[in-house]
Amino acid sequence: MVLVKEKVRGPRALSVRSAARASADASTRAALPLNRILRGDCIEGMRSLPDASIDMIFADPPYNLQLGGDLNRPDGSHVDAVTDAWDKFDSFATYDAFTRQWLTEARRLLKPDGSIWVIGSYHNIFRVGALLQDLGFWILNDIVWRKANPMPNFRGTRFTNAHETLIWAARSEKAKYTFNYRTMKTLNDELQMRSDWVLPVCGGPERIRKNGVKAHPTQKPEALLYRVMLATTNRGDVVLDPFFGTGTTGAVAKRLGRDWIGLEREADYIAVAEERIALSLPLDESALTTMASGRSAPKVAFGQLVECGSIAPGTKLFDRQRRFTATVRADGSLLAGGEGGSIHGLGAKLQGAPSCNGWTFWHLERGGEIQPIDALRQIYLLSVED
């Protein structure tokens, strides 16, 4: 019997391999059109990008709604629904072929430990889910985005469509995908983040309009992308959106210190997205730092106020007597003198108390008026009930 001596890889060998991998990653990254919108067909655009170069993909593809005729409210006014050519396909087979093509490119582009999010409605999400599995993706969660203020069913012939579904999948079953569990728990007032998310649809000042008309019929709220990105990417990661629209993904990525690439074929959407992202301000370093390790109002967590922009990361909070000052961070945690925690946990720690109701303890100043952060929570609750 011949004994074969196994070659032992020492620290130097591992160091050389790590350096070579880092060099290859840097070279791949240098070839990417970071923080740019590529105009044209999404599949062709994806084919122009190098293999294994993307950390996360967020896709809001056409839903293939197949709406027929006009939709009117009971008062006779017209409902601005999705009737654009980009959402129309001749058959389910045509839609499936299109979906398979872009998902195949998505899997090629993802790094081995990358992940993908796809959002859809009952019209398309089940077809997308089956194709994801057929192509080798590994589904991690289906997230139900329950709309706090959905459009009613005006005809009264079905249940109100009050949710959309997001599928979160890793590139493969063995992928060591990113999931910032502690950040999500902090965002949700120290409770595990569940797979049903209650967020309002895009409206008010956030809804982009041109000449009084929606710039895009299916603009997604920034709060939704904020949560997705904070949960499954890290600063400096590259996020690809093959159906870029008016640039929600790019705007949120810029705020959170992620790089992005957008693919879009409609010139009107590109113009809106470029203007929007140019006005989006990145958060500063201290606000972007989130809880790395580690019960209040059940209907809304402090992190939701941060997500929707009611309280911006970097905002200074203080107690009524101004003994303590804390900075709001991107995941809804607070930082005060090197100590970090939730609004409740940090408040208790600073006072040396067993517990603290952060909603009434922490205050902020707006328009020369000092108010508890609970006042903003009440305003938020009113807005989602409207």
Side-chain angles (χ1 to χ4, degrees), residues 82-144:
V82 183
T83 56
D84 303 82
W86 50 257
D87 192 61
K88 296 176 181 178
F89 294 80
D90 293 335
S91 64
F92 286 134
T94 304
Y95 184 79
D96 290 349
F98 164 74
T99 303
R100 180 179 289 275
Q101 281 186 293
W102 75 258
L103 282 178
T104 297
E105 287 304 310
R107 193 161 188 273
R108 177 185 67 81
L109 291 176
L110 280 177
K111 294 178 181 178
D113 295 331
S115 67
I116 184 172
W117 290 80
V118 186
I119 185 170
S121 67
Y122 69 87
H123 303 86
N124 71 324
I125 199 64
F126 304 108
R127 311 185 77 85
V128 172
L131 286 167
L132 280 165
Q133 292 180 315
D134 288 347
L135 292 170
F137 290 94
W138 188 256
I139 294 178
L140 301 167
N141 276 115
D142 65 322
I143 302 292
V144 174

Side-chain angles (χ1 to χ4, degrees), residues 31 110 121 149 164 289 293 317 360 384:
L110 280 177
S121 67
N149 49 346
E164 292 185 29
T289 304
S293 60
L317 303 183
T360 55
V384 299

Side-chain angles (χ1 to χ4, degrees), residues 304-325:
Q304 286 179 260
L305 300 186
V306 179
E307 282 180 318
C308 72
S310 294
I311 298 179
T315 298
K316 300 295 183 184
L317 303 183
F318 47 85
D319 66 301
R320 186 70 184 180
Q321 291 76 35
R322 293 184 181 267
R323 296 167 297 167
F324 311 107
T325 302

Side-chain angles (χ1 to χ4, degrees), residues 47-107:
R47 286 173 179 162
S48 71
L49 302 176
D51 295 356
S53 57
I54 304 297
D55 296 288
M56 191 268 277
I57 294 173
F58 181 86
D60 183 10
Y63 287 9
N64 193 26
L65 297 177
Q66 301 295 330
L67 296 178
D70 290 335
L71 181 61
N72 296 309
R73 298 182 178 86
D75 63 4
S77 60
H78 179 67
V79 176
D80 189 9
V82 183
T83 56
D84 303 82
W86 50 257
D87 192 61
K88 296 176 181 178
F89 294 80
D90 293 335
S91 64
F92 286 134
T94 304
Y95 184 79
D96 290 349
F98 164 74
T99 303
R100 180 179 289 275
Q101 281 186 293
W102 75 258
L103 282 178
T104 297
E105 287 304 310
R107 193 161 188 273

Side-chain angles (χ1 to χ4, degrees), residues 87-245:
D87 192 61
K88 296 176 181 178
F89 294 80
D90 293 335
S91 64
F92 286 134
T94 304
Y95 184 79
D96 290 349
F98 164 74
T99 303
R100 180 179 289 275
Q101 281 186 293
W102 75 258
L103 282 178
T104 297
E105 287 304 310
R107 193 161 188 273
R108 177 185 67 81
L109 291 176
L110 280 177
K111 294 178 181 178
D113 295 331
S115 67
I116 184 172
W117 290 80
V118 186
I119 185 170
S121 67
Y122 69 87
H123 303 86
N124 71 324
I125 199 64
F126 304 108
R127 311 185 77 85
V128 172
L131 286 167
L132 280 165
Q133 292 180 315
D134 288 347
L135 292 170
F137 290 94
W138 188 256
I139 294 178
L140 301 167
N141 276 115
D142 65 322
I143 302 292
V144 174
W145 167 31
R146 187 157 66 87
K147 301 174 182 179
N149 49 346
M151 181 185 294
N153 183 274
F154 294 110
R155 292 174 177 168
T157 55
R158 304 183 187 182
F159 295 108
T160 296
N161 294 323
H163 78 279
E164 292 185 29
T165 301
L166 297 95
I167 295 176
W168 177 39
R171 189 185 182 281
S172 66
E173 182 181 0
K174 303 299 182 182
K176 296 179 181 179
Y177 54 89
T178 295
F179 178 52
N180 298 316
Y181 167 80
R182 190 65 183 84
T183 297
M184 288 296 97
K185 190 172 181 182
T186 304
L187 193 69
N188 198 38
D189 275 2
E190 297 304 320
L191 296 175
Q192 282 192 347
M193 184 70 76
R194 294 164 34 134
S195 62
D196 53 335
W197 298 353
V198 181
L199 297 168
V201 299
C202 187
E206 186 183 349
R207 168 65 76 173
I208 303 172
R209 297 178 182 274
K210 293 294 182 182
N211 301 318
V213 179
K214 294 177 183 177
H216 194 292
T218 64
Q219 181 184 338
K220 296 301 183 287
E222 290 193 6
L224 183 69
L225 271 295
Y226 189 104
R227 188 175 295 186
V228 164
M229 224 169 285
L230 208 59
T232 58
T233 65
N234 297 306
R235 274 184 289 172
D237 279 357
V238 179
V239 178
L240 171 70
D241 186 336
F243 307 96
F244 202 60

